[in-house]
Amino acid sequence: MNSKLKEKLHKRQVRDGTMESLTSSLSEEKRERLCGLLGNVELTLLYKASVHGYQASAFHQRCDRQGPTLLVAYNPSGYIFGGYTSVDYAQSGQNVTDEDTFLFSIQGKIPVCIKINSGHKARYDDAGGPNFGQQLYFCYSNQPVVYHQGGNAFSLNAATMYGNDTQMIECEVYKVEQSSQVSTEEKPWRNVLWTTERRAELMEMIRSHKPLMTSVSRVRILMIGPVGAGKSSFFNSINSIFMGRITSKAISGSAGTSLTTQFRTYPVKDGRGGKPLPFVLCDTMGLEEQSGTALDIEDISSILQGHVPDRYKFNPTAPFQPEEQKMSRPASLQEKIHCVAYVIDATKISLMSDKLQEKLASIRRKVNSLGIAQIVLMTKVDEACPLVEKDLQSLYVSSYIKSKVQEVSSRLGVPVSCVLPVKNYSQELELELNCDVLLLTALQQMLNFADDYLDDVCPMEDKPK
C-alpha cells in the first residue's frame, strides 16, 4: 500500500475510533492482486466480523449505502475468497442486477475470477447476510459459515473456491473507490496503438509478407491447446477481419469434448474472392487429460513433420500411421509446420491439471527438438478480468492480466514475451477495432517467428536475394 493510501486509511480509522481493531487481514501482495481485478481503486475496510460480529444487522450497519464493496472471507484451510458488487446494499427486498459482480478465490498468489453468468441476478438485497446470486451466502444464519445453495448465477466449484471448508475465521468488507492518488493513464506494461491506422498497417504487413524461403509459399501455423480454449475461434476471428465481417467457417463452441475431429488446414483469403494470404492456420483436436483420448504426442509429431493430410480424421485409440510411400521420403519444407501456437484459456490457467500440464510439456519437448518456433495465445482475457471486459484497451494496464501472462509463462516454460493475450470473436455481430489490433498483432508475431525458424533451417541459397 502506498504511503498516501496508508495515511488516508489511518485518518479514517482514527475518525471512526477503530484504530486498534480495524486492521486488514489482507497482505499487501494479495490486496494488489485483488485491486488488479478492479482497476485503479482504493480499498477502505468497513466491516470486520471478528470485531463487529457475524450478525446480519452488524454487517448492514457498517456496509449499507456505501457504494461498490468487496467482501473477503478467510477459512481455516487457508483459502481467501469472496465477491464484488458495484450496487449498494440497501435492504430493499429486491433482486439486484449487476453485470459487474464477480466471485474470486486466491490460491497461492493468483486470484481466480468467476464472473456472473449472463441473464442472472447478482444478489437478493434483503436484511440477511451478504449473498451472491442467492447461491453463495456469507455469515449464514448469523454464524461464521459459508453456505452454498447451488444455482446457475455463477459457474462455481466449491472445492476450487474454498476447498469445501465452509467455516470462516474472518469476514471483511471493503469500500471500493476510484483512486485519486494514481493517474488513470497508468504506464502500460506493453505498448499498443489502438488506432484504425495501426490496424490497416498490420493488415498490409500481413498481406505483403513473403516467407524467408522461396520454396515456402505460405507459412504453416499449428494451433494446439485444451478443448474449448479457442483454436477454431482464432481462425474464425482472423478470417473475419480479412473478410470484413463476422464469419464462422471452422466449427467452434464450448462442448466438453473436442468439436474438431479432423486435421484441418485453413487458408485465409484477402476478402471475398481475394488472393490467398501468405499463411495457413492448422487446427487439431483439443487436448484432453487422459491418455488414449483426443490428440496424442505421436499424432502431433506426424503433423509437425508434414505427414498428415488435410481433413484426416483422428482415431483417439490409435496414432496416425503415415503411408509407407510417404514415409519413404521426408516431407518438403512447404508441408512442415513453421510455427506452433499454444492456445490457452485465461480463465482456466490456475485450474490446469498436472496431467494436462505434463502433456503440454511433452509436446513442447518434441517441438523444441525440431527447432520449430513457439508462441502462446492467451484467449478470453475479457472473461478473466472485469476491468478488461469494460474496456479492452485496459488489457496492458491490468496487473491481473499481467500476472496471468507470467503464470502461463511459468507453467508452459516459454518467455513472457512469447505470451500474447487476445480476444476472439464469440458473440459479436460486428468487427471491433480493439479485438482486431490484438489478433493481427499476434498473427504478425507468428509470421515473424516462422521466419526465425526458416532462417535457422534453410541454406542461404534458398533464401530470396
Side-chain angles (χ1 to χ4, degrees):
M1 194 189 310
N2 62 45
S3 58
K4 290 184 178 179
L5 183 54
K6 284 181 178 177
E7 181 182 353
K8 180 176 179 179
L9 183 58
H10 174 87
K11 287 178 180 176
R12 184 168 299 203
Q13 289 172 335
V14 169
R15 182 192 69 200
D16 293 345
T18 57
M19 186 62 197
E20 294 300 322
S21 53
L22 276 196
T23 303
S24 171
S25 298
L26 270 180
S27 69
E28 186 173 343
E29 180 186 35
K30 287 186 170 58
R31 177 187 288 262
E32 287 176 359
R33 297 289 186 194
L34 287 175
C35 286
L37 289 172
L38 294 161
N40 199 16
V41 299
E42 294 178 358
L43 301 180
T44 303
L45 186 56
L46 297 173
Y47 164 79
K48 192 175 180 75
S50 61
V51 175
H52 303 115
Y54 285 89
Q55 294 79 13
S57 57
F59 161 76
H60 285 288
Q61 182 182 357
R62 307 280 308 181
C63 301
D64 279 1
R65 295 180 176 80
Q66 293 289 338
T69 51
L70 182 74
L71 183 148
V72 184
Y74 309 75
N75 71 14
S77 299
Y79 285 77
I80 301 174
F81 59 104
Y84 167 80
T85 176
S86 69
V87 178
D88 290 76
Y89 290 100
Q91 303 184 56
S92 64
Q94 303 292 320
N95 281 308
V96 171
T97 299
D98 182 6
E99 294 179 354
D100 294 331
T101 291
F102 63 85
L103 299 173
F104 69 87
S105 176
I106 304 180
Q107 302 174 57
K109 295 181 178 180
I110 309 296
V112 173
C113 179
I114 306 166
K115 295 184 67 19
I116 189 165
N117 291 323
S118 178
H120 288 271
K121 300 298 182 184
R123 57 185 170 84
Y124 183 60
D125 185 37
D126 63 0
N131 74 86
F132 290 85
Q134 291 185 271
Q135 184 176 356
L136 191 64
Y137 293 78
F138 293 84
C139 305
Y140 186 68
S141 293
N142 299 321
Q143 298 298 316
V145 295
V146 175
Y147 175 58
H148 180 206
Q149 181 171 274
N152 300 314
F154 296 91
S155 302
L156 168 61
N157 183 313
T160 300
M161 187 166 183
Y162 52 88
N164 283 322
D165 184 349
T166 60
Q167 295 297 309
M168 289 195 300
I169 56 175
E170 186 61 273
C171 182
E172 299 175 332
V173 176
Y174 295 83
K175 182 180 177 69
V176 179
E177 298 174 285
Q178 288 300 311
S179 175
S180 58
Q181 304 295 336
V182 185
S183 165
T184 53
E185 296 182 11
E186 294 182 51
K187 182 176 172 58
W189 44 276
R190 278 185 189 163
N191 291 315
V192 173
L193 290 173
W194 307 95
T195 63
T196 53
E197 291 79 12
R198 178 57 177 164
R199 174 170 59 185
E201 180 185 25
L202 285 164
M203 291 179 74
E204 188 52 40
M205 288 166 66
I206 291 165
R207 287 186 184 108
S208 59
H209 180 84
K210 287 183 171 44
L212 199 62
M213 275 285 291
T214 52
S215 62
V216 176
S217 60
R218 287 183 288 183
V219 167
R220 286 166 66 90
I221 300 163
L222 176 63
M223 295 180 289
I224 298 174
V227 171
K231 302 184 308 302
S232 301
S233 293
F234 179 76
F235 162 74
N236 285 335
S237 298
I238 293 295
N239 194 50
S240 296
I241 295 171
F242 284 96
M243 287 296 290
R245 61 174 178 83
I246 299 295
T247 64
S248 186
K249 190 173 177 181
I251 298 172
S252 62
S254 55
T257 56
S258 182
L259 292 170
T260 305
T261 58
Q262 299 177 318
F263 173 66
R264 289 302 316 271
T265 58
Y266 290 112
V268 178
K269 290 183 178 178
D270 189 12
R272 186 175 180 181
K275 294 180 180 178
L277 292 164
F279 63 90
V280 175
L281 295 174
C282 304
D283 197 8
T284 62
M285 290 182 74
L287 300 179
E288 297 185 33
E289 288 185 19
Q290 297 80 9
S291 350
T293 61
L295 212 58
D296 221 328
I297 187 72
E298 291 86 357
D299 294 320
I300 291 173
S301 179
S302 297
I303 293 170
L304 294 171
Q305 295 177 77
H307 292 306
V308 180
D310 183 34
R311 297 181 186 270
Y312 172 79
K313 187 166 184 176
F314 293 101
N315 180 354
T317 60
F320 172 78
Q321 296 293 333
E323 298 171 13
E324 286 186 21
Q325 187 178 6
K326 190 158 188 176
M327 284 190 71
S328 64
R329 66 163 183 85
S332 68
L333 193 59
Q334 168 82 6
E335 296 170 300
K336 293 180 179 181
I337 296 298
H338 312 123
C339 178
V340 169
Y342 301 98
V343 184
I344 304 295
D345 182 341
T347 68
K348 295 181 178 176
I349 295 162
S350 299
L351 308 177
M352 189 185 293
S353 68
D354 292 341
K355 284 184 179 178
L356 188 55
Q357 191 166 330
E358 178 49 41
K359 187 172 269 193
L360 283 165
S362 298
I363 294 168
R364 266 189 48 70
R365 286 192 289 272
K366 183 63 184 178
V367 177
N368 281 336
S369 72
L370 296 170
I372 299 171
Q374 299 172 76
I375 205 165
V376 180
L377 296 177
M378 193 174 82
T379 61
K380 305 184 184 180
V381 289
D382 56 321
E383 295 179 32
C385 179
L387 179 68
V388 175
E389 185 185 40
K390 285 182 182 177
D391 181 4
L392 198 55
Q393 291 192 21
S394 299
L395 180 72
Y396 287 125
V397 295
S398 167
S399 58
Y400 180 67
I401 293 297
K402 185 178 182 181
S403 73
K404 286 295 177 187
V405 167
Q406 291 167 338
E407 187 179 4
V408 170
S409 167
S410 173
R411 281 177 175 266
L412 268 64
V414 297
V416 167
S417 60
C418 294
V419 181
L420 300 179
V422 295
K423 180 191 180 310
N424 289 331
Y425 286 109
S426 55
Q427 52 192 0
E428 293 81 6
L429 299 177
E430 300 288 340
L431 296 176
E432 203 272 321
L433 172 64
N434 295 330
C435 283
D436 289 358
V437 168
L438 287 177
L439 292 161
L440 292 168
T441 300
L443 178 58
Q444 177 61 38
Q445 193 71 335
M446 290 179 206
L447 298 179
N448 292 341
F449 278 25
D451 268 354
D452 292 341
Y453 164 71
L454 293 172
D455 187 42
D456 191 46
V457 299
C458 302
M460 284 304 296
E461 58 268 22
D462 291 331
K463 294 175 186 174
K465 305 299 185 209

